[in-house]
Amino acid sequence: MRKQCHPFLRGEKGEGKYRHGFSSAEMETLNGICETVLPPICIGEKEGQPSKPVQAFFTASGSQTPIPDEIAELIVQRALIESLILVRLLLLILSTRIGTLLLCGCLCLGEKWPYINTFSSMSLSKREKVLQKWFKHKFFTPIRLAFIILKVACLYVFFARADEDGENPAWKAIGYETDKDKNPSQGPNEKPLQAGIIETMLETDSTLVHNLAQKGLKVTNSGHNLYKINCDVAIVGSGCGGGVAAAVLATSGQKVVVIEKGNYFTANDYSGLEGPSRKQLYESGGILPTVDGKVMILAGSVVGGGSAVNWSACINTPKPVLKEWAENQKLQLFGSSEYLAAMDTVSKRIGVTENCVEEGFQNQVLRKGCQKLGLEINAVPRNSSEKHYCGSCGYGCQQWDKKGTDSTWLVDAVNHGAVILTGCKAERFILVDNKSGSKRKKKCLGVMAKSLNNNIRMKLQIEAKVTISACGALLTPPLLITSGLKNPNIGRNLHLHPVLMAWGYFPDSNSEFRGKSYEGGIITSVHKVVSKDSSLRAIIETPQLGPASFASLSPWESGLDTKNRMVRYSRTAHMITVVRDRGSGKVKVEGRIRYNLHALDRENLKAGLRQSLRILVAAGAVEVGTHRSDGQRIKCEGISKEELEEFLDTVSAAEGAMKQVEDWMIYTSAHQMGSCRLGISEKEGAVDENGETWEAEGLYVCDASVLPSAIGVNPMITVQSTAFCLSKRLAESLRGEQSGV
């Protein structure tokens, strides 16, 4: 049995009631596609008798109950509305003979009446050829995108699902184990934020009022299903921005209320299960694509925000970036000793250490490959102990070792009287006409919020002297726009640090590298890819990829190839190339993200990909490749330098699936910033140098969205240091007002 964890983070029995609303005809087609993506395969005895788990895995099918229903549920819950319509239309078309003939051509023809088969009636081999054809089809790209959505959903559900005991039969076959029998965390039994947390998902209207009052808040029932709550500072979001701001302002004597959409979990709650964890700890359940499907985005949505689920990397803001922001953007903060001191303060508070006692499999590979090529490789500081060997921090650190805001800054805030409302979503800021004579036409009086608990009917009107939006670069702009702000910089200049991956396979027979791909610290080493003039082009690190993420992001060439890839999962090392993007995007409406790469970004990504492949080959991989849709790869045994360079010449940063190209790539992003950037004027930024919005007095932004541009490295230290400076200035301003200065 799995150790006790939070009910939200456990596996499920499945086969419950489904609300997807797909018709029987749509489900019949979906079953056929699922079986094609992951078909039952009879394996011979060419390389000896495979183990029973491997045999069972190869005979398993993506169409077995209840997987297609769970896929339909996932698509209905997570897909953009146009993607959902596209997928359902495709399923309907393929459920008819005429539609199948249009999309599948002669492959659907049979020898007997009525001579034309529907998709699900076609042979498995012919269905596979249809998918292969459409994955390369470069003219009707929306149809290709629909097939890709179904492929990604099928593989994600198959490998992410876990039963009540936290088991998935496929995991043994691919060499994946979770720490279900791990000893309980060494952390405290009492939750560190217990004194200040109100988990609205566990409350009723009456208990909510009682608990708010118990925590020192004045609450009045003003009728019309509305509770009014009075405080000094209201903060929306509890991550790297909101958590720091809450601590600084609460310790300065302000009564702070933090509103957090996500739930509160501690080390003893975490399960390490990919599916339930991504569903609960990430925005949109960890499935958040850009509108064109080109970039898959990860963003934390839990108490602690991204700091609760990130990969622990603590890299200071690069000096060239600070110089650019101070000189080009004329933002004095980033050229000041105040900011440098803030980075030191932040690093000390979150317990940053410089070294790693034992590296995991992927980082061993990265380090060895760089050493063999004579390349510089640096240790990555982390907000954990030097002995921290946790490969599942992206699902919450079960060892109580990583120090996110939920175990540092928010603890400071709660210890100074702050109250944190979880499961509570901000709807809009309360703006009124400003009669104080200020240049700002509006004044912010607080925020309207609603619990996500259906048992709580009352809305919350949180009234505050100062209100801070700290819900991240993806959610702060839509919230400001919904509230009535119109500065054109709001929601623009969104940077994503786009990522492409390269992989290398190291069989178990290679004993030089210990462990498995999912074990050990996620990021403990970094290689910097520099140009001839020594300017930084990209960084190469290693990712956390659970089986579901691995399968859904890998190219699909055939059902057999996918299963062969998966049985090599535990010894496949991935390298991620991260670039400081010049291109940018926009997010004006929640969940609708648009993004464009700059030509220079493509060149830098290409340079990083090629360098990653060289590193993997040098480390001793028997096969390496990229995630390009055609399965781009090369066997390495006996390969000459010339042959390798010839292969590398074919490697590039391909377009997305909606572009009219045969071969495409899915990009990923775990860093979002810049969508409400600081500026010295309304034309330059969405907020001023203190983080205050240009249009509304008393409304501030304090999260990654205020950063002037991309950084090019993991942003946690930069975001927290910026938040520390902005909130400290605000605290001093409020103290001045209270003392009459």
Side-chain angles (χ1 to χ4, degrees):
M1 290 290 289
R2 172 167 294 277
K3 74 177 181 69
Q4 285 298 311
C5 58
H6 196 284
F8 288 172
L9 301 176
R10 295 175 190 163
E12 298 175 334
K13 185 176 181 181
E15 299 188 47
K17 292 183 179 179
Y18 298 103
R19 302 179 181 178
H20 52 68
F22 281 33
S23 67
S24 58
E26 290 172 286
M27 289 306 299
E28 187 176 347
T29 307
L30 180 56
N31 282 334
I33 291 174
C34 292
E35 185 185 41
T36 310
V37 170
L38 208 62
I41 296 170
C42 181
I43 53 175
E45 300 181 19
K46 294 178 182 177
E47 299 179 10
Q49 184 68 24
S51 67
K52 287 185 179 180
V54 171
Q55 289 183 58
F57 170 58
F58 271 87
T59 56
S61 168
S63 64
Q64 61 197 39
T65 305
I67 292 172
D69 279 304
E70 292 183 1
I71 291 166
E73 286 286 293
L74 183 69
I75 291 171
V76 168
Q77 291 171 3
R78 303 301 181 196
L80 296 172
I81 183 63
E82 60 267 44
S83 297
L84 175 60
I85 292 169
L86 193 61
V87 165
R88 296 194 67 172
L89 183 60
L90 175 67
L91 295 176
L92 279 173
I93 289 171
L94 291 177
S95 71
T96 67
R97 291 187 174 88
I98 296 299
T100 305
L101 179 62
L102 285 171
L103 296 186
C104 304
C106 63
L107 287 169
C108 71
L109 299 179
E111 296 179 355
K112 296 180 180 179
W113 175 262
Y115 303 118
I116 302 174
N117 293 308
T118 61
F119 181 84
S120 60
S121 301
M122 294 165 59
S123 68
L124 180 57
S125 62
K126 287 186 175 181
R127 277 183 270 143
E128 186 170 81
K129 287 178 181 176
V130 169
L131 261 63
Q132 289 166 341
K133 180 188 82 170
W134 274 105
F135 281 167
K136 282 191 166 291
H137 208 296
K138 61 182 182 180
F139 295 114
F140 298 105
T141 54
I143 295 174
R144 176 166 72 181
L145 183 61
F147 276 115
I148 293 168
I149 291 169
L150 290 166
K151 166 257 178 183
V152 168
C154 175
L155 294 174
Y156 184 85
V157 167
F158 186 90
F159 289 102
R161 65 193 313 269
D163 63 21
E164 292 167 303
D165 293 326
E167 296 284 358
N168 180 319
W171 292 347
K172 285 185 180 179
I174 66 175
Y176 180 64
E177 298 177 15
T178 58
D179 295 320
K180 67 175 182 176
D181 297 320
K182 181 184 288 185
N183 291 327
S185 160
Q186 297 302 308
N189 289 325
E190 184 176 316
K191 296 185 175 185
L193 301 179
Q194 193 64 48
I197 279 276
I198 297 177
E199 300 182 73
T200 70
M201 298 302 287
L202 306 177
E203 303 288 340
T204 64
D205 283 321
S206 58
T207 62
L208 178 60
V209 173
H210 174 74
N211 285 330
L212 286 167
Q214 262 199 336
K215 297 194 186 313
L217 290 168
K218 181 183 177 183
V219 185
T220 55
N221 186 340
S222 62
H224 307 291
N225 290 332
L226 185 69
Y227 288 139
K228 285 187 177 180
I229 302 169
N230 288 99
C231 63
D232 295 321
V233 180
I235 301 175
V236 182
S238 63
C240 289
V244 173
V248 172
L249 289 158
T251 54
S252 74
Q254 306 299 323
K255 185 64 177 178
V256 173
V257 172
V258 178
I259 303 155
E260 171 55 56
K261 180 175 69 171
N263 292 308
Y264 176 46
F265 303 106
T266 64
N268 292 324
D269 294 322
Y270 294 128
S271 66
L273 295 173
E274 183 179 14
S277 299
R278 285 173 67 106
K279 183 178 179 180
Q280 286 294 326
L281 307 180
Y282 287 87
E283 187 64 31
S284 192
I287 302 173
L288 181 60
T290 52
V291 169
D292 61 0
K294 182 177 185 176
V295 187
M296 292 297 294
I297 295 170
L298 281 180
S301 183
V302 63
V303 172
S307 73
V309 292
N310 69 16
W311 302 342
S312 304
C314 296
I315 303 175
N316 279 357
T317 318
K319 291 179 181 177
V321 174
L322 289 176
K323 183 178 180 183
E324 178 189 312
W325 291 352
E327 295 180 2
N328 295 0
Q329 268 88 5
K330 296 181 171 50
L331 296 167
Q332 295 179 7
L333 169 64
F334 298 107
S336 68
S337 58
E338 176 190 1
Y339 185 82
L340 297 177
M343 287 198 289
D344 291 338
T345 300
V346 164
S347 295
K348 184 177 179 181
R349 182 61 190 95
I350 63 176
V352 174
T353 57
E354 297 292 329
N355 300 305
C356 174
V357 171
E358 182 183 4
E359 290 196 299
F361 169 72
Q362 294 191 127
N363 284 277
Q364 292 173 46
V365 169
L366 174 57
R367 184 170 292 275
K368 177 61 72 173
C370 286
Q371 288 172 345
K372 286 194 172 181
L373 291 172
L375 300 173
E376 185 178 354
I377 182 81
N378 301 114
V380 175
R382 300 180 294 163
N383 58 331
S384 64
S385 71
E386 294 184 346
K387 295 181 179 180
H388 188 45
Y389 192 80
C390 171
S392 62
C393 273
Y395 313 140
C397 183
Q398 299 176 69
Q399 298 178 8
W400 201 250
D401 195 335
K402 186 177 73 171
K403 297 175 178 62
T405 63
D406 52 324
S407 60
T408 54
W409 297 105
L410 289 171
V411 175
D412 298 343
V414 164
N415 288 343
H416 287 83
V419 178
I420 304 170
L421 298 174
T422 71
C424 193
K425 182 174 171 60
E427 294 186 330
R428 63 178 175 84
F429 296 113
I430 305 166
L431 304 183
V432 297
D433 291 336
N434 192 355
K435 299 176 181 178
S436 67
S438 165
K439 291 181 180 179
R440 292 173 168 84
K441 295 180 180 179
K442 298 289 182 180
K443 184 176 178 63
C444 184
L445 301 182
V447 60
M448 294 294 300
K450 187 180 189 310
S451 171
L452 300 177
N453 180 354
N454 292 329
N455 293 324
I456 295 179
R457 296 176 296 105
M458 305 291 278
K459 288 192 176 185
L460 304 178
Q461 182 171 312
I462 302 168
E463 298 179 345
K465 292 182 291 186
V466 165
T467 308
I468 298 173
S469 183
C471 42
L474 300 179
L475 295 177
T476 280
L479 184 57
L480 294 177
I481 291 168
T482 300
S483 303
L485 298 193
K486 302 187 183 304
N487 183 291
N489 289 297
I490 297 173
R492 298 179 65 184
N493 313 300
L494 173 66
H495 295 277
L496 298 181
H497 280 179
V499 167
L500 286 177
M501 301 189 203
W503 58 268
Y505 175 54
F506 298 80
D508 285 318
S509 57
N510 183 335
S511 59
E512 183 176 7
F513 303 113
R514 303 175 306 280
K516 298 181 178 181
S517 61
Y518 54 87
E519 295 175 336
I522 301 168
I523 297 177
T524 56
S525 295
V526 60
H527 168 63
K528 298 175 183 178
V529 183
V530 296
S531 59
K532 291 180 181 178
D533 64 356
S534 298
S535 60
L536 184 66
R537 301 192 68 182
I539 60 173
I540 297 174
E541 298 174 327
T542 59
Q544 177 185 8
L545 283 179
S549 303
F550 180 105
S552 55
L553 290 173
S554 293
W556 185 91
E557 297 177 77
S558 68
L560 176 60
D561 176 71
T562 293
K563 290 196 170 181
N564 282 333
R565 281 181 185 268
M566 291 309 298
V567 294
R568 306 197 309 182
Y569 161 76
S570 67
R571 294 287 291 183
T572 299
H574 273 83
M575 307 281 144
I576 55 173
T577 292
V578 185
V579 300
R580 184 186 180 207
D581 44 330
R582 271 62 173 179
S584 65
K586 60 182 180 180
V587 55
K588 302 276 189 178
V589 177
E590 187 173 331
R592 299 193 64 82
I593 304 156
R594 301 179 188 277
Y595 182 76
N596 293 303
L597 277 173
H598 190 277
L600 184 59
D601 300 332
R602 292 188 187 283
E603 288 301 309
N604 289 338
L605 282 162
K606 179 172 71 175
L609 269 182
R610 292 180 177 183
Q611 189 82 309
S612 297
L613 291 162
R614 290 189 188 98
I615 291 167
L616 289 161
V617 172
V622 300
E623 188 175 28
V624 298
T626 70
H627 281 182
R628 201 171 71 184
S629 60
D630 63 343
Q632 182 182 45
R633 65 179 102 182
I634 189 170
K635 302 256 185 210
C636 304
E637 191 174 354
I639 190 173
S640 67
K641 186 176 180 181
E642 291 73 22
E643 288 172 322
L644 175 58
E645 289 303 318
E646 188 177 325
F647 170 71
L648 293 177
D649 285 342
T650 69
V651 173
S652 63
E655 294 280 3
M658 283 295 285
K659 293 291 185 179
Q660 293 184 335
V661 293
E662 275 193 16
D663 302 323
W664 43 271
M665 287 177 166
I666 296 176
Y667 293 68
T668 56
S669 164
H671 308 153
Q672 304 88 39
M673 67 214 84
S675 53
C676 281
R677 67 184 181 188
L678 295 167
I680 58 171
S681 69
E682 292 180 67
K683 291 182 179 180
E684 296 293 324
V687 295
D688 69 13
E689 294 179 79
N690 295 315
E692 190 172 14
T693 58
W694 294 105
E695 300 162 78
E697 183 181 324
L699 177 56
Y700 291 76
V701 177
C702 194
D703 57 28
S705 67
V706 303
L707 300 183
S709 70
I711 311 164
V713 297
N714 306 69
M716 176 162 60
I717 295 295
T718 301
V719 177
Q720 292 199 18
S721 301
T722 304
F724 184 84
C725 292
L726 296 181
S727 53
K728 196 171 182 183
R729 289 179 178 183
L730 178 55
E732 290 168 357
S733 171
L734 289 171
R735 268 200 301 266
E737 289 178 12
Q738 289 171 346
S739 61
V741 177

